[in-house]
Amino acid sequence: MSTSDSVPVISDCASEAPKGNPQALTRGLTHRQVSMIGLSGALGTGLFLGSGSVIAYAGPATIISYLIAGSFALAVVWALAEMVSTHPVAGGHGTVAASYLGRRGGYVARWNFAIQSLVAVGAEVTATATYIRYWFPEVPLWAGAIGCAALIMAFNAFSVHLYGSSEYWFSMIKVVAAVAFILLGLALILGMVPGRAPIGWGNLTAHGGFLPHGILGVLAASCMAVFSFGGIENVSSTAAESENPRRDIPQAAQAMIWRIVIFYLAAVTVVLALQPWTKTAAQGGTIEESPFVRALALSGVGPAAHVMNAILIVAALSAANGCLYAATRMIHALAVEGQAPRIAGKLSANGTPRGAVVVSLFGVGIAAVLSITAPDSAFMILLGATTVAILITWCLIMATHLKFRRDRAAASLPLAKRRLWGAPVVNIAVIAACVAIFVALFWLMPLAPLAGIPYVAALLGSYELLNRTRNLPAPRDLLAEELAAATEEKER
């Protein structure tokens, strides 16, 4: 997944909304901000809190599970980068899906991603409330979730530049925290902390060995680890607001490689080495605190655990902030085409889709209700729902990429400079893996697939109903727009 043949430079005007359009988003995100927004979704609750439930299935071999799930995630990111940098349009990969898979495919892709992101927001604010209870156990989970939701709603209601700036610093804190945790953990493991005996690497092979539940445990954990990588698609939502999407989005995708190696494989290895995996794993479907915080606390570094807990709160808020951003941009794109409430298509004077932020309150409300009715299992329920939506999103992205490549080859267009290597084999492998994971969820998390089947039926049914009751516009033909722009460029 890298560079090769170059593609002719085509003016972005073919992929943007017409100038003067009151529904057009503002290009206010810098290169650094786009890069950090791509990181925000991938470095959040899935790693810092959800890793406990993954470790329960595979023990120390969770390292392999994250490597497997991360490989699929990287393939999806590169397919996204190739398509969205070619067509930097509002709505990101959802608008590209509509162009290549048709109106029905685009509707399902965009609404599913919007719902996925909103449910993820719920999971993140619930996780944040869980972190807060580490210090204040008397605070109800629902109160913390609502307070955190109100905070990120406020961030998304301001200008996109302000959002990008806040997300940049949020993500920077996460990066510093993850690196600091890894370095401190290694110091404890190697005996480099004065007055403390080295912990060593024994916990990676004790308590049942490196593979306590065998290969099946590794595969099961890989299925659960998918949630950790949900949110990597957020970078595609910045296409219409990036100052230079053709440069920024591929670079953000490329940066994902070393980030996954450092922030997932290295950090999880340290967590597993600091204490027996049986203590780190979540039990009974509940997670009382982050395994990162627990690992440091049980290792005797009390103040560090409190500092880490504060940073994890920032990390979860950042991930929620990024997911809400992605959801609002997708809902805004749907509203512009008459496939979402009209209020969601309205922008503020500075180009922020505040109407879509209001509509997004519904998804956050679900998390609040779960926090009240099922405080002990709210996070795991949201994790399961988000996992199903992620699988659907990944399948649709890879299917869109297959059609994208096929149509561009038929039009005699060269491959993009930065692209997904191994297509179409990689596409088919990822789709097959997503289907296999969905089937496996019947045993791992029965509620998720049982809810997922009627969910997909509802998405398809709602499209048919909407298509019959509204005069929906035809989706944009992005390939035709690109060819027309290229022809116009040659004639100049």
Side-chain angles (χ1 to χ4, degrees):
M1 299 173 220
S2 185
T3 64
S4 186
D5 302 330
S6 61
V7 64
V9 177
I10 298 172
S11 173
D12 284 346
C13 66
S15 298
E16 295 175 0
K19 292 182 179 180
N21 185 348
Q23 294 177 314
L25 299 171
T26 304
R27 291 197 181 277
L29 294 176
T30 67
H31 167 61
R32 295 189 307 166
Q33 291 169 348
V34 170
S35 180
M36 283 302 184
I37 288 172
L39 176 62
S40 68
L43 189 59
T45 298
L47 172 64
F48 292 126
L49 185 58
S51 55
S53 59
V54 180
I55 291 170
Y57 285 97
T62 298
I63 300 167
I64 300 176
S65 300
Y66 272 110
L67 181 61
I68 294 172
S71 298
F72 291 134
L74 286 175
V76 172
V77 166
W78 272 104
L80 269 177
E82 180 180 347
M83 294 188 295
V84 177
S85 60
T86 300
H87 303 303
V89 293
H93 67 271
T95 302
V96 178
S99 180
Y100 287 93
L101 299 182
R103 193 160 50 199
R104 180 183 290 103
Y107 176 89
V108 173
R110 284 184 284 191
W111 266 117
N112 175 72
F113 180 72
I115 293 170
Q116 167 194 326
S117 300
L118 290 178
V119 175
V121 171
E124 297 291 353
V125 296
T126 301
T128 307
T130 303
Y131 295 144
I132 292 173
R133 294 183 70 183
Y134 178 74
W135 291 326
F136 308 104
E138 69 280 0
V139 175
L141 191 66
W142 64 266
I146 291 176
C148 295
L151 181 62
I152 64 162
M153 287 288 178
F155 273 119
N156 275 266
F158 292 105
S159 70
V160 65
H161 181 72
L162 180 60
Y163 161 77
S165 296
S166 64
E167 192 55 49
Y168 175 83
W169 289 110
F170 273 159
S171 295
M172 184 62 71
I173 291 173
K174 289 192 291 186
V175 169
V176 172
V179 172
F181 172 81
I182 293 169
L183 294 177
L184 177 58
L186 287 174
L188 289 166
I189 292 167
L190 300 176
M192 299 171 65
V193 176
R196 298 188 182 277
I199 295 175
W201 301 99
N203 284 321
L204 294 180
T205 54
H207 311 285
F210 184 73
L211 288 162
H213 299 307
I215 298 299
L216 289 179
V218 172
L219 296 177
S222 299
C223 297
M224 300 298 293
V226 166
F227 173 79
S228 299
F229 297 100
I232 57 172
E233 313 90 350
N234 290 358
V235 70
S236 80
S237 300
T238 68
E241 293 173 285
S242 168
E243 292 176 347
N244 188 342
R246 297 186 186 280
R247 175 201 65 191
D248 297 344
I249 294 177
Q251 287 186 3
Q254 191 161 351
M256 286 288 182
I257 297 174
W258 63 265
R259 286 169 181 166
I260 286 177
V261 170
I262 293 176
F263 300 132
Y264 280 86
L265 301 185
V268 169
T269 299
V270 169
V271 166
L272 290 164
L274 284 177
Q275 64 177 355
W277 70 269
T278 51
K279 291 184 178 180
T280 305
Q283 300 296 329
T286 63
I287 301 176
E288 296 178 356
E289 59 192 43
S290 164
F292 283 72
V293 174
R294 187 182 303 174
L296 287 178
L298 293 182
S299 297
V301 189
H306 287 288
V307 172
M308 177 62 73
N309 195 59
I311 293 172
L312 296 187
I313 290 174
V314 173
L317 286 174
S318 168
N321 202 26
C323 288
L324 183 60
Y325 169 88
T328 55
R329 270 56 185 179
M330 200 66 75
I331 292 173
H332 170 265
L334 283 162
V336 169
E337 295 186 10
Q339 299 179 34
R342 289 182 177 86
I343 187 178
K346 296 182 178 180
L347 301 178
S348 65
N350 57 15
T352 302
R354 290 183 182 173
V357 174
V358 173
V359 173
S360 299
L361 282 169
F362 176 75
V364 180
I366 293 176
V369 171
L370 277 175
S371 298
I372 297 171
T373 58
D376 292 334
S377 56
F379 176 75
M380 295 304 296
I381 293 172
L382 291 169
L383 185 151
T386 306
T387 299
V388 171
I390 291 169
L391 294 175
I392 296 171
T393 293
W394 287 9
C395 284
L396 287 171
I397 288 172
M398 300 313 271
T400 302
H401 184 261
L402 285 171
K403 188 68 163 51
F404 169 86
R405 280 283 188 92
R406 189 179 303 123
D407 288 359
R408 293 179 67 80
S412 299
L413 289 172
L415 295 175
K417 182 179 180 181
R418 294 183 177 179
R419 62 182 185 269
L420 171 67
W421 285 77
V425 175
V426 171
N427 301 65
I428 296 171
V430 172
I431 292 173
C434 288
V435 173
I437 291 171
F438 181 81
V439 173
L441 289 177
F442 278 97
W443 288 272
L444 300 174
M445 195 180 293
L447 181 62
L450 290 177
I453 294 174
Y455 164 69
V456 174
L459 276 179
L460 294 172
S462 64
Y463 169 77
E464 298 301 332
L465 178 62
L466 192 65
N467 192 38
R468 292 182 180 183
T469 56
R470 286 190 181 183
N471 185 22
L472 299 177
R476 294 173 63 181
D477 190 337
L478 299 177
L479 181 58
E481 291 179 14
E482 180 181 354
L483 292 172
T487 300
E488 182 180 345
E489 185 72 22
K490 288 181 181 178
E491 293 175 350
R492 290 178 180 176

